[in-house]
Every structure is written in structure tokens, then in C-alpha cells.
Amino acid sequence: MPVFSSSEELLHVMKTLWEAIKADPTMSSQLIDSRLVGQFQFREPDGIITIDCSDGQNFKIIVGPTDIKPVIEMSMKSDIAHEFWLGRISIPVALLTGKIVSKGPTPKALALLPIIRPAYSMYPKILEAARKNVLVNS
Amino acid sequence: MQPFQFQSPTKLFFGEYTAASAYESLKELGSSNPLIVTDANLVKAGILEPILEAFPKNGSGSPVIFDDVPMDSDLHSVQNAVNLARAKKCDGILACGGGSVLDTAKAVNICLTYGGNLLDYQGLNNLPTKLLPLVAIPTTAGTGSEVSLVAMIKDSDEGKKLLFGSRFLAPDLAILDPQMTVSLPARLTAATGLDALTHAIESYVALAVSPISDALCLEAMRLLFKSLERATTDGGDIEARSDCLVASTMAGLAFTNSGVGIVHALAHATGARYGTHHGATNAVFLPFGMEFNLEAAAERFATAARYLRISTNTDDQKAAKDLIEAVRNLILKVNLPLSLKDLGVPEFKNGDLEELAMLASTDAAIMFNPKESTQEDIVAIYTRAY
Ligand SMILES: NC(=O)c1ccc[n+]([C@@H]2O[C@H](COP(=O)([O-])OP(=O)(O)OC[C@H]3O[C@@H](n4cnc5c(N)ncnc54)[C@H](O)[C@@H]3O)[C@@H](O)[C@H]2O)c1
Ligand SMILES: [Fe+2]
């Protein structure tokens, strides 16, 4: 059984998480300074979320398909994304074995990882709250 | 035991004078008009002759040869090779050379198979399907690229190295013919041998280790400690050449499954910035990187030291230090530099160290290092290694 029961639930959780990252001054300022455009593509259930910091000023979170061309793309099963944010997965091993596919310059993807690491500890609470929210609203 | 994955899609042949069978093997793989990727030195040295003799004398004309590969593959060279292969309608690749030639051939294969822009295929596991047949004949005993799932190509305009990693990049066949390495000069024999030793040592303590790669690493280390000095001092010693060649392939199989570490990250950054040879740069950083990793890897270094009969000490820290000392001695014996200064790196100026540390800390190799490192740790190693 996949961790997320629907694309809607998956995207709600991921969006809430990235909004929390954006609200964190340390993480958001580092991401804005990096001018990174990164896209996470999920499967089973499917979903896309894009982070666009390309202008060096704004932190945009785009849910769903977009015309923006990402510099780095990471695609994975939604269950792997869940493990990733719980900090339970060895990212090097996941990259080596293809559980996470990375497209684009690998150094840029690697520079992103330590920046977003503090969000691992936010994830369980966000997951719990977001799930309740989806249940309430559905 | 931690879960692991181990794969090698590459078939291996080992034997003196087996390189001549390359054309026959390519035909079996479905390629009758391969592009030969090599470099001008090798053509001049006549190394290719036995291979070319096996090509048909009649029919579609003479073999298509691309020999303009620089030290460290680069995008321009890849593009020129692709243009030639397209014009001549090549249907496979025969790569004969060192790591620079083999990596170039892998990138050429991506372009020939899929068309489009090579840059779109950067990343890890980002290739969609099998590539055209590729047979690799290494002429250095170092990089392991003849079995590895990766290729690194320099973007000279941007001053960066691009990484491509996928199981589809592994050659279909690697022909290990020690005769092909006999003409390699002493300094390059030593430098490429130290690349292989660095693969074996780093991979033995890397994050994705497995008992299968452990066995490959230990035996590769043993063969290199036994024979690298001899291969360097007497290039015609075919037994020593054979040991080094097989060891470098074994270490390649290990690192492509288990990863390398901080030594490679430091060396990649240095090579990108100063154009130093990959193997010789690894040699400088290897003892320093091992010292840095001692805290996390003493037990494994000690196991290796005992397997290699370098140490009988039962204390892991002491046995591990014996291994580091043995590595330093081997580097000295094969006449390679032990410092960046002796390697020819100019004195660091303002900002150089920070830039190098930034490059090294985002190099894919460092992900697999057994101990995490900060920018300060990396700057400290650069400073000590100078
Ligand atoms: N793909 C991988 O798995 C992998 C791993 C490690 C390194 N590399 C890459 O490999 C490259 C280095 O390769 P290398 O160390 O084999 O050196 P190289 O291919 O750059 O060759 C060095 C020099 O040796 C000469 N040479 C090679 N074989 C010879 C022979 N038998 N006789 C006479 N001269 C010979 C070449 O002409 C060249 O001038 C680097 O670009 C590095 O990034 C790739
Ligand atoms: Fe290497």
C-alpha cells in the first residue's frame, strides 16, 4: 500500500512542506541565493512540484505541470519521497541504485541536499497535520 | 549485513593479444561498421595495428577512426566524434585508449543512440534505453572505465566536469590485453596504477560496500601492491602489467557499485581547476584522505592491512596507520609526488581554497565517503596536501 492514497494527498503534503521551508528564513535565503530551479516528479501516486528561485529574490512553489524548465530534476516513487523526508533513506545509495533518478548537473543537486536537511524534522508533523486537513476538507 | 545491489553488464576477456578479436566481437554484438575512438599517441605508437588488421579489407572501405581525444574528454571532442560517426553511418563503437578515450566513447554513444543534446542526459540513471554496442580496450591500468557505469566529460567553456551515470553506459565487452599497456610510460603507469589503488581503497570503506565489492577491492589492492612498482620500472614485464590491468578492472567493478570518496572529490576539483592528471592527483590526496577517514574506517583499513600482510598489529588504529604508511611508501617508490606543490599546482591565492572546497563538497564522489566533511575539513586537507 502506498503511503499516500491519492495524488491530491501527496501534493497537499509536499506543498505544505515546501511552504514551511519557504517560511524558514535560513533555508529560504540559502535557496534563493542558489537561484536553483528544481523539480520533484513523483510516481504512484503521481505528482509534480517545482521550486523556482531563479530570479534570486522570490521563492516560488508550483504544484502540477509547468512550462518552467528545471535545472535539476529528481524523480522517484512517492513512497521513496516519504522515506527521503523522514531522513530514512541513504540518498547516495538511492541515487546509485536508481531509486531516485537525478537529471541535470549532479553537483547542483548535491548542493541542495544539506540546505533542506533541517526540513526532515518538520516533515512528520506536517504529514500528520496535512492528512487531517485533507480528511476534514474532503 | 546491509542490503546491497551489485551489477556488471560487461563481459570480460583477458589475455595477451586478445585485442585483435575486437572486430569479431563487435560483429557478434550487431555492429559491422564501428567508430574507433582512440587518441593520436596510440595511433602513432602503432598500438592499434593488430586491431585494424582484423577489419575486412574489402567492402565498405577502411575503418572509421576518430583519434582526436585530448587528455580528459571534452564536449568539443565528443561532438566532433559524433559528427564523424554520423557521416560514416557507424553502428557501434570500439574504444581503445585510457580513461579519456573510454569516457569520450561512452558520451559519443549517448549522442549516436538518442540524438539530441548530450547535456540533457546528465545525471544519474537518466538514460532511457540500451545504447549501441560498445567494446572497450583499456590501454592504461587505472580508471576502470571499461566496466564502470559512469563517464565524466569536461565542459571546457564552463570549466566544469559533467557526470553521466547509468547501467547502459557500461561497455558490452571489455578486452583486457596486457600487451596494450606495455608502451605506457613509467610516470603514467604509476599515476594510473595509483588511480586503481585509490578506487580499491576508497571503495573498500565507502557507504555502499558489499561483501562482493570487498573481495574485489582486497584482491585489487594485493595485486597492485605486488606488481605496480615492477610494471613501472620494467614496462615490458607482462606478468606485472597483467596484475595491474586485472586489478584496475576489479577496482572498477567495485567502485561503480560501492562508490568512491573524499580523495576522488578533492582530486576532481583539483583536476578541473589546474588540469592535473587524475591518477597522480589521487596519489597526492590518498594518504591524507585515509587519515581523515581513520575515525570511521580504521577497522576496515586494518583488515586490509592484515590481508595484504602489511601489518600483523592487532590494534586496528595501528594496523590502519601501517596501511597509510605503506601507501605513502608505494607512491614514493613509483616516483609520484606526495604534495600538490610537487604535482605542479601553483600556490593558492585568495579565494582559491574556498572555490576548490565548494567544488569538492558538491562532487558526487563525496556522497559515498564514510565520514561527513565540512568545508573547513576540506580546506584543511588542501592546505596539508600542498
Ligand atoms: N569513467 C570512469 O569510471 C573513470 C574513472 C576514473 C577516471 N576517469 C577519467 O579518466 C581520465 C584519465 O584516464 P587515464 O588515467 O587512463 O589517462 P588518459 O586516458 O588521459 O591518458 C593519459 C595519456 O596516456 C597516453 N596513453 C594511454 N595509453 C597509452 C599506452 N598504452 N601507451 C602510450 N601512451 C598511452 C594517452 O595518449 C594520454 O596522453 C580522466 O578524465 C578521468 O576523469 C574515468
Ligand atoms: Fe579514479
Side-chain angles (χ1 to χ4, degrees):
Chain A
M1 259 272 289
V3 174
F4 299 102
S5 58
S6 66
S7 294
E8 188 198 15
E9 186 194 17
L10 163 79
L11 287 173
H12 181 67
V13 169
M14 292 303 160
K15 184 171 173 238
T16 314
L17 178 67
W18 279 102
E19 277 166 353
I21 294 174
K22 183 177 172 177
D24 176 282
T26 317
M27 283 191 275
S28 65
S29 66
Q30 283 178 283
L31 285 165
I32 289 171
D33 287 348
S34 76
R35 292 180 177 254
L36 193 76
V37 188
Q39 186 172 81
F40 293 83
Q41 301 158 352
F42 307 108
R43 303 185 303 279
E44 301 173 30
D46 297 355
I48 294 180
I49 195 154
T50 309
I51 311 305
D52 180 358
C53 299
S54 56
D55 62 8
Q57 291 181 4
N58 294 293
F59 189 130
K60 294 180 211 148
I61 303 165
I62 301 112
V63 178
T66 167
D67 289 337
I68 296 171
K69 183 148 175 36
V71 177
I72 55 166
E73 293 167 45
M74 302 261 224
S75 60
M76 65 201 90
K77 280 190 177 171
S78 299
D79 281 5
I80 296 288
H82 172 73
E83 298 277 315
F84 172 99
W85 286 113
L86 283 174
R88 274 198 208 146
I89 204 164
S90 158
I91 294 165
V93 174
L95 284 168
L96 194 71
T97 54
K99 282 191 174 148
I100 301 177
V101 170
S102 103
K103 177 174 176 183
T106 311
K108 292 229 160 104
L110 293 186
L112 170 73
L113 295 173
I115 302 179
I116 58 176
R117 195 180 279 179
Y120 294 178
S121 61
M122 298 171 157
Y123 178 71
K125 274 201 193 119
I126 285 172
L127 181 67
E128 200 183 332
R131 279 186 159 165
K132 274 190 198 140
N133 203 357
V134 166
L135 289 179
V136 170
N137 290 329
S138 59
Chain B
M1 194 183 294
Q2 64 173 15
F4 70 86
Q5 179 174 304
F6 189 97
Q7 59 177 330
S8 175
T10 307
K11 180 171 167 178
L12 293 174
F13 279 170
F14 168 86
E16 269 185 83
Y17 306 107
T18 47
S21 66
Y23 181 73
E24 219 30 61
S25 301
L26 270 155
K27 264 203 335 207
E28 276 169 27
L29 289 164
S31 166
S32 54
N33 182 29
L35 173 73
I36 301 176
V37 181
T38 186
D39 74 36
N41 283 342
L42 297 169
V43 175
K44 223 188 291 159
I47 284 184
L48 258 76
E49 272 160 30
I51 299 173
L52 297 178
E53 265 168 32
F55 273 67
K57 302 286 175 296
N58 46 18
S60 51
S62 48
V64 186
I65 302 178
F66 179 81
D67 68 1
D68 191 16
V69 175
M71 276 242 236
D72 288 337
S73 337
D74 81 39
L75 280 179
H76 294 297
S77 162
V78 170
Q79 193 52 55
N80 292 337
V82 171
N83 294 345
L84 177 67
R86 287 214 178 108
K88 300 283 185 184
K89 299 195 168 39
C90 293
D91 54 7
I93 302 182
L94 167 54
C96 178
S100 300
V101 163
L102 303 189
D103 280 12
T104 301
K106 289 175 174 178
V108 169
N109 207 5
I110 294 176
C111 300
L112 268 190
T113 309
Y114 306 138
N117 187 349
L118 178 65
L119 297 185
D120 287 340
Y121 297 99
Q122 266 190 99
L124 298 172
N125 292 299
N126 184 31
L127 302 188
T129 54
K130 203 177 161 349
L131 300 168
L132 290 173
L134 169 61
V135 170
I137 306 178
T139 64
T140 62
T143 68
S145 182
E146 66 279 7
V147 287
S148 80
L149 280 53
V150 293
M152 288 186 76
I153 306 290
K154 198 154 76 179
D155 179 346
S156 304
D157 301 338
E158 297 273 324
K160 285 187 201 146
K161 272 218 168 186
L162 313 174
L163 174 67
F164 301 83
S166 160
R167 69 195 157 102
F168 298 127
L169 280 177
D172 298 284
L173 168 71
I175 302 181
L176 308 180
D177 180 346
Q179 283 293 342
M180 303 300 282
T181 64
V182 165
S183 55
L184 190 67
R187 178 148 174 125
L188 279 163
T189 301
T192 50
L194 255 298
D195 186 22
L197 186 65
T198 307
H199 294 155
I201 292 178
E202 289 216 279
S203 185
Y204 188 62
V205 300
L207 280 187
V209 291
S210 73
I212 298 182
S213 65
D214 287 353
L216 291 164
C217 291
L218 288 172
E219 190 57 10
M221 288 182 222
R222 189 185 69 78
L223 291 171
L224 289 163
F225 270 105
K226 175 179 158 226
S227 297
L228 182 60
E229 191 186 352
R230 252 168 59 218
T232 304
T233 46
D234 176 8
D237 182 334
I238 211 72
E239 276 309 306
R241 289 287 190 188
S242 302
D243 283 350
C244 292
L245 186 56
V246 172
S248 66
T249 301
M250 292 171 83
L253 287 168
F255 88 73
T256 207
N257 282 284
S258 300
V260 276
I262 194 164
V263 175
H264 266 78
L266 295 161
H268 286 152
T270 311
R273 184 78 164 66
Y274 302 104
T276 51
H277 180 265
H278 176 70
T281 319
N282 273 330
V284 169
F285 289 117
L286 183 56
F288 295 101
M290 290 174 77
E291 273 161 5
F292 176 75
N293 282 335
L294 206 48
E295 203 182 301
E299 192 186 331
R300 285 202 151 236
F301 286 154
T303 305
R306 292 177 199 125
Y307 178 82
L308 300 168
R309 299 174 195 270
I310 281 168
S311 183
T312 49
N313 211 310
T314 50
D315 179 301
D316 283 352
Q317 286 287 330
K318 287 187 180 136
K321 285 183 181 153
D322 289 342
L323 179 65
I324 301 175
E325 212 34 50
V327 167
R328 276 209 171 89
N329 283 336
L330 180 63
I331 297 170
L332 278 173
K333 278 193 219 153
V334 297
N335 278 320
L336 285 177
L338 278 164
S339 73
L340 289 173
K341 189 175 181 184
D342 291 343
L343 185 67
V345 171
E347 217 165 306
F348 297 129
K349 292 197 289 294
N350 259 354
D352 285 350
L353 275 170
E354 289 66 28
E355 191 192 321
L356 282 170
M358 188 60 211
L359 280 175
S361 66
T362 54
D363 188 280
I366 210 159
M367 281 195 289
F368 298 94
N369 198 61
K371 182 178 156 192
E372 285 206 20
S373 51
T374 61
Q375 298 278 107
E376 291 74 36
D377 291 328
I378 294 177
V379 166
I381 301 182
Y382 273 120
T383 311
R384 240 178 302 141
Y386 192 80

Coordinates of all heavy atoms in Angstrom, one line a residue, chain B residues 39 41-42 47 71-73 98-101 103 106 139-140 143-145 148 150-152 161 180-185 188 192 195 199 255 264 277-278, ligand 1:
Chain B
D39 N 43.3 7.8 -29.3 CA 44.0 9.1 -29.4 C 45.2 9.0 -30.2 O 45.7 7.9 -30.6 CB 44.2 9.7 -28.0 CG 45.3 9.1 -27.2 OD1 46.3 8.7 -27.8 OD2 45.1 9.0 -25.9
N41 N 48.4 9.7 -29.8 CA 49.6 9.0 -29.3 C 49.5 7.5 -29.6 O 50.5 6.9 -29.9 CB 49.6 9.1 -27.8 CG 50.1 10.5 -27.3 OD1 50.6 11.2 -28.1 ND2 49.8 10.8 -26.1
L42 N 48.3 6.9 -29.4 CA 48.2 5.5 -29.5 C 48.3 5.1 -31.0 O 48.9 4.0 -31.3 CB 46.9 5.0 -28.9 CG 46.7 5.3 -27.4 CD1 45.3 5.0 -27.0 CD2 47.7 4.4 -26.7
I47 N 49.8 1.0 -31.6 CA 49.1 0.0 -30.8 C 47.9 -0.5 -31.4 O 47.5 -1.7 -31.2 CB 48.7 0.8 -29.5 CG1 49.9 0.9 -28.6 CG2 47.6 0.1 -28.7 CD1 49.6 1.6 -27.2
M71 N 43.6 14.7 -23.4 CA 43.7 14.2 -22.0 C 42.5 14.8 -21.3 O 42.3 16.0 -21.4 CB 44.9 14.7 -21.3 CG 46.1 13.8 -21.6 SD 46.7 13.2 -20.1 CE 48.4 13.7 -20.1
D72 N 41.6 14.0 -20.7 CA 40.3 14.5 -20.1 C 39.4 14.8 -21.3 O 39.6 15.8 -21.9 CB 40.5 15.7 -19.2 CG 41.1 15.3 -17.9 OD1 41.1 14.1 -17.5 OD2 41.7 16.2 -17.2
S73 N 38.5 13.9 -21.4 CA 37.5 14.0 -22.5 C 36.8 15.4 -22.4 O 36.5 15.9 -21.3 CB 36.4 13.0 -22.3 OG 36.9 11.9 -21.6
G98 N 43.0 5.1 -22.9 CA 42.9 5.3 -21.5 C 41.5 5.8 -21.1 O 40.6 5.8 -21.9
G99 N 41.4 6.2 -19.9 CA 40.1 6.7 -19.4 C 39.5 7.8 -20.2 O 38.3 7.9 -20.4
S100 N 40.3 8.7 -20.7 CA 39.8 9.8 -21.5 C 39.1 9.3 -22.8 O 38.1 9.8 -23.1 CB 41.0 10.8 -21.9 OG 41.6 11.3 -20.7
V101 N 39.8 8.3 -23.4 CA 39.2 7.8 -24.6 C 37.9 7.0 -24.3 O 36.8 7.2 -25.0 CB 40.2 6.8 -25.3 CG1 39.5 5.9 -26.4 CG2 41.3 7.7 -26.0
D103 N 35.8 7.3 -21.7 CA 34.7 8.2 -21.4 C 34.2 8.9 -22.6 O 33.0 9.1 -22.7 CB 35.2 9.2 -20.3 CG 35.2 8.5 -18.9 OD1 35.1 7.3 -18.8 OD2 35.3 9.3 -17.9
K106 N 31.9 6.7 -24.4 CA 30.6 6.5 -23.8 C 29.6 7.7 -24.1 O 28.5 7.5 -24.4 CB 30.8 6.4 -22.2 CG 31.4 5.1 -21.8 CD 31.7 5.1 -20.3 CE 32.2 3.8 -19.8 NZ 32.5 3.8 -18.3
T139 N 44.0 0.9 -22.4 CA 45.5 0.9 -22.6 C 46.2 1.5 -21.5 O 47.4 1.6 -21.5 CB 45.8 1.7 -23.9 OG1 45.5 3.1 -23.7 CG2 45.1 1.2 -25.1
T140 N 45.4 1.8 -20.4 CA 46.1 2.2 -19.1 C 45.4 1.2 -18.1 O 44.4 0.7 -18.4 CB 45.7 3.6 -18.7 OG1 44.3 3.8 -18.5 CG2 46.2 4.7 -19.7
T143 N 41.6 3.6 -14.7 CA 40.3 4.2 -14.4 C 39.2 3.2 -14.1 O 38.2 3.5 -13.5 CB 39.9 5.0 -15.6 OG1 39.6 4.2 -16.7 CG2 41.0 6.0 -16.0
G144 N 39.3 2.0 -14.7 CA 38.2 1.0 -14.6 C 37.0 1.4 -15.4 O 35.9 0.8 -15.4
S145 N 37.2 2.4 -16.3 CA 36.1 2.9 -17.1 C 35.6 1.8 -18.1 O 34.4 1.8 -18.5 CB 36.5 4.1 -17.9 OG 35.4 4.6 -18.7
S148 N 33.0 0.5 -15.8 CA 32.2 1.4 -14.9 C 30.9 1.9 -15.6 O 30.8 1.9 -16.8 CB 33.0 2.5 -14.4 OG 33.1 3.5 -15.4
V150 N 29.9 4.9 -15.4 CA 29.9 6.4 -15.4 C 30.8 6.9 -16.5 O 31.7 6.2 -17.0 CB 30.4 7.0 -14.1 CG1 29.3 6.7 -13.0 CG2 31.7 6.4 -13.6
A151 N 30.6 8.1 -16.9 CA 31.6 8.8 -17.7 C 31.6 10.3 -17.2 O 30.6 10.8 -16.8 CB 31.1 8.8 -19.2
M152 N 32.8 10.9 -17.3 CA 33.0 12.3 -16.9 C 33.5 13.0 -18.1 O 34.5 12.6 -18.7 CB 33.9 12.4 -15.7 CG 33.3 11.9 -14.5 SD 34.3 12.3 -13.0 CE 34.0 14.0 -12.8
K161 N 33.2 19.7 -14.9 CA 33.1 18.3 -15.4 C 31.7 17.8 -15.3 O 31.0 18.0 -14.3 CB 34.0 17.4 -14.6 CG 35.5 17.4 -15.2 CD 36.0 16.0 -15.0 CE 37.3 15.8 -15.8 NZ 37.9 14.5 -15.8
M180 N 48.5 -4.2 -24.6 CA 48.1 -2.9 -24.9 C 48.6 -1.8 -24.0 O 48.5 -0.6 -24.2 CB 46.6 -2.8 -25.0 CG 45.9 -3.8 -25.9 SD 46.4 -3.5 -27.6 CE 45.5 -2.1 -28.1
T181 N 49.1 -2.3 -22.8 CA 49.6 -1.3 -21.8 C 51.1 -1.2 -21.8 O 51.7 -0.4 -21.0 CB 49.1 -1.7 -20.4 OG1 49.6 -2.9 -20.0 CG2 47.6 -1.8 -20.4
V182 N 51.8 -2.1 -22.5 CA 53.3 -2.1 -22.4 C 54.0 -0.8 -22.8 O 55.0 -0.5 -22.2 CB 53.8 -3.3 -23.3 CG1 55.3 -3.2 -23.6 CG2 53.5 -4.6 -22.7
S183 N 53.4 -0.1 -23.7 CA 54.0 1.2 -24.1 C 53.7 2.3 -23.2 O 54.2 3.4 -23.4 CB 53.6 1.5 -25.6 OG 52.2 1.5 -25.6
L184 N 52.9 2.1 -22.2 CA 52.6 3.2 -21.3 C 53.8 3.7 -20.5 O 54.5 2.8 -19.9 CB 51.5 2.8 -20.4 CG 50.8 3.9 -19.5 CD1 50.0 4.9 -20.4 CD2 49.9 3.2 -18.5
P185 N 54.2 5.0 -20.6 CA 55.4 5.4 -19.9 C 55.4 5.2 -18.4 O 54.3 5.1 -17.9 CB 55.5 6.9 -20.3 CG 54.6 7.1 -21.4 CD 53.6 6.0 -21.4
L188 N 53.1 7.5 -16.3 CA 51.7 7.3 -16.4 C 51.3 5.9 -15.9 O 50.1 5.7 -15.4 CB 51.2 7.4 -17.9 CG 51.0 8.9 -18.3 CD1 51.1 9.0 -19.9 CD2 49.7 9.4 -17.8
T192 N 48.3 6.0 -13.2 CA 47.1 5.3 -13.4 C 47.0 4.1 -12.4 O 45.9 3.8 -11.9 CB 47.0 4.7 -14.9 OG1 48.2 4.1 -15.2 CG2 46.8 5.9 -15.9
D195 N 45.5 5.5 -9.4 CA 44.1 5.7 -9.6 C 43.4 4.4 -9.2 O 42.4 4.4 -8.4 CB 43.8 6.1 -11.0 CG 42.3 6.5 -11.2 OD1 41.6 6.9 -10.2 OD2 41.8 6.5 -12.4
H199 N 40.8 3.7 -6.1 CA 39.4 3.1 -6.3 C 39.3 1.9 -5.3 O 38.3 1.9 -4.6 CB 39.2 2.5 -7.7 CG 39.2 3.6 -8.8 ND1 39.5 3.3 -10.1 CD2 38.9 4.9 -8.7 CE1 39.4 4.4 -10.8 NE2 39.0 5.4 -10.0
F255 N 34.2 0.0 -7.4 CA 33.7 1.4 -7.1 C 32.4 1.8 -7.9 O 31.7 2.6 -7.4 CB 34.8 2.4 -7.4 CG 34.9 2.9 -8.8 CD1 34.0 3.8 -9.3 CD2 36.0 2.6 -9.6 CE1 34.1 4.3 -10.6 CE2 36.0 3.1 -10.9 CZ 35.1 3.9 -11.4
H264 N 38.7 11.2 -4.2 CA 38.3 11.5 -5.6 C 37.6 12.8 -5.7 O 37.8 13.6 -6.7 CB 37.3 10.4 -6.1 CG 38.0 9.3 -6.9 ND1 38.7 8.3 -6.3 CD2 38.2 9.1 -8.3 CE1 39.3 7.6 -7.2 NE2 39.0 8.0 -8.4
H277 N 46.8 15.5 -13.8 CA 46.4 14.1 -14.2 C 45.6 13.5 -13.0 O 46.0 13.6 -11.8 CB 47.6 13.2 -14.6 CG 47.1 11.8 -15.0 ND1 47.1 10.8 -14.1 CD2 46.6 11.4 -16.1 CE1 46.6 9.7 -14.7 NE2 46.3 10.0 -15.9
H278 N 44.5 12.8 -13.4 CA 43.6 12.3 -12.4 C 44.3 11.3 -11.4 O 44.1 11.4 -10.2 CB 42.4 11.5 -13.2 CG 41.5 10.8 -12.3 ND1 40.6 11.5 -11.5 CD2 41.3 9.5 -12.1 CE1 39.9 10.6 -10.8 NE2 40.3 9.4 -11.1
Ligands
LIG1 N1 34.6 6.6 -16.2 C1 35.3 6.2 -15.2 O1 34.9 5.3 -14.5 C2 36.5 6.9 -14.8 C3 37.2 6.6 -13.6 C4 38.4 7.3 -13.3 C5 38.8 8.2 -14.2 N2 38.2 8.5 -15.3 C6 38.6 9.6 -16.2 O2 39.7 9.0 -17.0 C7 40.6 10.0 -17.4 C8 42.0 9.7 -17.1 O3 42.3 8.5 -17.8 P1 43.8 7.8 -17.8 O4 44.3 8.0 -16.5 O5 43.6 6.4 -18.3 O6 44.6 8.7 -18.8 P2 44.3 9.3 -20.2 O7 43.3 8.4 -20.9 O8 44.0 10.7 -20.1 O9 45.7 9.1 -20.9 C9 46.9 9.8 -20.5 C10 47.9 9.8 -21.5 O10 48.4 8.4 -21.7 C11 48.6 8.1 -23.1 N3 48.4 6.7 -23.2 C12 47.4 5.9 -22.8 N4 47.6 4.6 -23.0 C13 48.9 4.5 -23.5 C14 49.7 3.4 -23.9 N5 49.4 2.2 -23.8 N6 50.9 3.8 -24.4 C15 51.4 5.1 -24.5 N7 50.6 6.1 -24.2 C16 49.4 5.8 -23.7 C17 47.4 8.9 -23.7 O11 47.7 9.1 -25.1 C18 47.4 10.2 -22.9 O12 48.4 11.1 -23.5 C19 40.2 11.3 -16.6 O13 39.5 12.1 -17.5 C20 39.2 10.8 -15.6 O14 38.2 11.7 -15.3 C21 37.0 7.9 -15.6

